[in-house]
Amino acid sequence: MINKVVRTAAEAVADIPDGASLAVGGFGLCGIPVALIAALHDQGTKELETISNNCGVDDWGLGILLSDGRIRRTTSSYVGENKEFARQFLAGELEVELTPQGTLAEKLRAGGAGIPAFYTTAGVGTQVSEGGLPRKYDGGGNVAIASEPKEVRTFGGADYVLEESVNPDFALVHAQRGDRHGNLIFHATAMNFNPLCAMAGKITIAEVEELVEPGELDPEHIHVPGIFVQRVVHVPVGAPHSEKRVEKRTVAAPVVEPDPLTAPAVLVDPPPRVDDARPRAASVEHRDTAPVVHRDAATAMKEA
């Protein structure tokens, strides 16, 4: 088997040319290939076409390429966390193909499986299927490029729109573990889009947190087999560009325990009083002789 490990992220992306198409894994800021994106940014590659769930944030992930004007066109499903993205799109500097999230995932999966196109109900009856969805503005607020109508067919009484799969020139992914043959294991949210991008790319480059020897990964736990991966670079936790950021940090307010010496006393009502003299049902004790009936005091007084 071929040893697919390269020494640095810079070496791994060195042959990505201007104008290349890239599928980039991750979901939000989870599981994104930070080191590979940073290396691509450092080498000055431009006019890129990206395919990803989103386009990073203003200063992280694909956002660093976007802010420097390195991305010409992007296919994404969620772009609401990047103000520079919105500015470039409305100013006519960026072409955008907005795609339903499930459709985007299937475009990548189908591309990796060798399926050129597929039918889906997502987008039927909207601009996704009927065309006219703005893809690029002219800078004056006018639509310069709009989406084309897509084929719609009926199966089983329901309408489906035809979507084409994608096979980008390169794919950049982030995995928790990988071996020298390119077998990869992803963790938690990083499972979103990383395996699909890895399958779809013509040349797939993976950065891995933990690099192990062939045979150390349980075959049943491997998410992407090495046949889909051409290069592996080790980026351990703590290395440059290994930081994992949180897109929106939301935490509960701290709980402050009251000081027992200064806190006001709290009066608590006592529990309701139980009357032990309340009537009780008679019980019967069976003996060898006649039964003996036990009565409580209140019953005996009434009978007297």
Side-chain angles (χ1 to χ4, degrees):
M1 294 290 288
I2 301 174
N3 181 6
K4 300 177 181 180
V5 175
V6 294
R7 293 175 299 173
T8 65
E11 182 180 340
V13 302
D15 62 343
I16 298 181
D18 294 346
S21 57
L22 305 173
V24 182
F27 190 81
L29 298 185
C30 296
I32 60 175
V34 176
L36 294 174
I37 293 172
L40 194 61
H41 177 265
D42 291 343
Q43 78 176 25
T45 310
K46 57 184 184 297
E47 294 294 311
L48 295 168
E49 298 182 17
T50 60
I51 303 168
S52 65
N53 177 58
N54 63 346
C55 208
V57 294
D58 289 324
D59 63 345
W60 199 247
L62 285 175
I64 66 173
L65 292 171
L66 184 72
S67 62
D68 278 358
R70 307 283 186 80
I71 299 176
R72 180 188 68 81
R73 184 181 189 276
T74 187
T75 300
S76 300
S77 61
Y78 179 70
V79 296
E81 298 298 329
N82 195 318
K83 294 179 180 178
E84 177 61 16
F85 184 103
R87 188 201 67 77
Q88 289 189 22
F89 180 45
L90 296 175
E93 301 171 12
L94 179 67
E95 183 178 345
V96 178
E97 181 181 359
L98 289 174
T99 304
Q101 194 167 76
T103 300
L104 179 60
E106 183 61 13
K107 279 175 170 282
L108 291 161
R109 191 205 67 83
I115 301 170
F118 59 92
Y119 285 96
T120 176
T121 57
V124 172
T126 71
Q127 288 180 307
V128 171
S129 63
E130 297 173 356
L133 192 65
R135 286 192 175 177
K136 190 173 184 180
Y137 289 95
D138 62 2
N142 304 307
V143 177
I145 301 175
S147 63
E148 296 290 334
K150 298 175 182 177
E151 178 185 339
V152 175
R153 291 184 62 182
T154 302
F155 299 94
D159 290 338
Y160 294 77
V161 58
L162 181 67
E163 293 282 359
E164 296 184 7
S165 61
V166 292
N167 286 110
D169 301 324
F170 294 86
L172 310 180
V173 300
H174 175 100
Q176 182 186 44
R177 305 183 73 200
D179 64 21
R180 296 182 181 276
H181 293 169
N183 299 303
L184 304 177
I185 294 177
F186 304 96
H187 176 66
T189 307
M191 277 290 290
N192 289 292
F193 287 97
N194 270 305
L196 305 175
C197 290
M199 293 173 59
K202 296 174 183 175
I203 297 176
T204 293
I205 308 170
E207 63 176 60
V208 300
E209 296 178 26
E210 182 182 353
L211 180 63
V212 301
E213 294 300 322
E216 292 188 38
L217 299 180
D218 186 337
E220 294 185 356
H221 295 164
I222 291 173
H223 297 126
V224 171
I227 192 172
F228 289 108
V229 180
Q230 283 67 47
R231 300 170 198 164
V232 176
V233 60
H234 188 202
V235 184
V237 175
H241 305 299
S242 65
E243 178 186 356
K244 297 180 181 180
R245 295 191 183 183
V246 177
E247 191 168 353
K248 286 189 175 182
R249 186 182 299 275
T250 303
V251 296
V255 178
V256 180
E257 296 292 340
D259 186 342
L261 299 178
T262 60
V266 178
L267 298 179
V268 180
D269 292 334
R273 183 172 176 272
V274 178
D275 186 359
D276 292 333
R278 67 183 185 277
R280 294 188 299 272
S283 63
V284 178
E285 179 181 344
H286 293 278
R287 296 180 178 175
D288 294 337
T289 58
V292 178
V293 178
H294 299 277
R295 295 179 175 84
D296 55 33
T299 304
M301 291 176 64
K302 289 181 180 179
E303 291 179 351

